Amino acid sequence: LAGMAKAGETYKVTVDYTQTLKQMIAKGKYNYANSDINQSNFPFIGNGKQEVVIELVHFGRDMGSEAVLKEFESRGLRAATLPELLAFGATYPNKQYEFPIITLGSVWQHRSGYRYVSDLGGDGSERRLYLCWYDYRWDGRCRFAAVRK
């Protein structure tokens, strides 16, 4: 159907909640990680090690975050969290060279009032963990990390 997201590729990851966010980021061996992606801005709760299947959803058109989340809801998906994205980045390090991978499941509200989410990106020689504006209009190249409910 025109305008519908393609079924995403799926990837199995193990999220290790015994690690701190700092350790999860280090495990990904990023050339750059935004310093605001830290435990106080992105607190999380989880126990032990958990297997999760990440689906990378590609809409092929510009979309806002709210529209992406509405589409996820209709498909029985939820946005992946930051720990899930970090487990993905550590397990499949080359994927982020192909396209930006966004997670909308962990949102940080800056004191300015702006909200931010994490994004794995790169340019072929460097892998980066970015912080992006939640209200950004994501371009059609982006993939959104999701998990079945």
Side-chain angles (χ1 to χ4, degrees):
L1 294 170
M4 288 293 289
K6 299 182 187 94
E9 300 173 42
T10 58
Y11 301 87
K12 194 174 281 188
V13 301
T14 301
V15 185
D16 185 354
Y17 289 104
T18 66
Q19 295 185 321
T20 64
L21 195 60
K22 191 174 190 163
Q23 289 169 320
M24 290 178 182
I25 292 168
K27 192 173 179 189
K29 298 182 175 91
Y30 301 100
N31 300 94
Y32 165 83
N34 187 298
S35 60
D36 283 324
I37 301 173
N38 58 53
Q39 197 81 39
S40 64
N41 294 339
F42 291 94
F44 64 85
I45 298 167
N47 294 314
K49 293 183 180 186
Q50 295 179 11
E51 290 276 313
V52 178
V53 177
I54 304 277
E55 185 172 331
L56 296 185
V57 182
H58 180 220
F59 294 99
R61 66 184 189 279
D62 293 5
M63 302 251 315
S65 297
E66 295 298 329
V68 170
L69 292 174
K70 200 171 283 182
E71 183 70 29
F72 279 4
E73 188 63 35
S74 73
R75 297 176 61 189
L77 298 169
R78 67 163 173 80
T81 63
L82 179 57
E84 290 166 343
L85 181 75
L86 294 172
F88 177 89
T91 309
Y92 304 97
N94 294 326
K95 267 300 182 206
Q96 69 192 82
Y97 290 134
E98 297 175 37
F99 36 70
I101 303 167
I102 319 303
T103 183
L104 299 173
S106 297
V107 180
W108 168 52
Q109 185 156 357
H110 186 268
R111 65 183 167 275
S112 66
Y114 290 112
R115 294 175 295 169
Y116 293 91
V117 294
S118 300
D119 160 14
L120 296 178
D123 64 6
S125 65
E126 287 199 349
R127 294 173 56 246
R128 300 187 190 101
L129 175 61
Y130 293 112
L131 204 54
C132 296
W133 192 36
Y134 178 86
D135 294 314
Y136 185 70
R137 192 140 177 87
W138 306 102
D139 78 39
R141 294 181 325 117
C142 295
R143 303 304 192 274
F144 298 88
V147 176
R148 286 251 157 246
K149 286 186 182 178

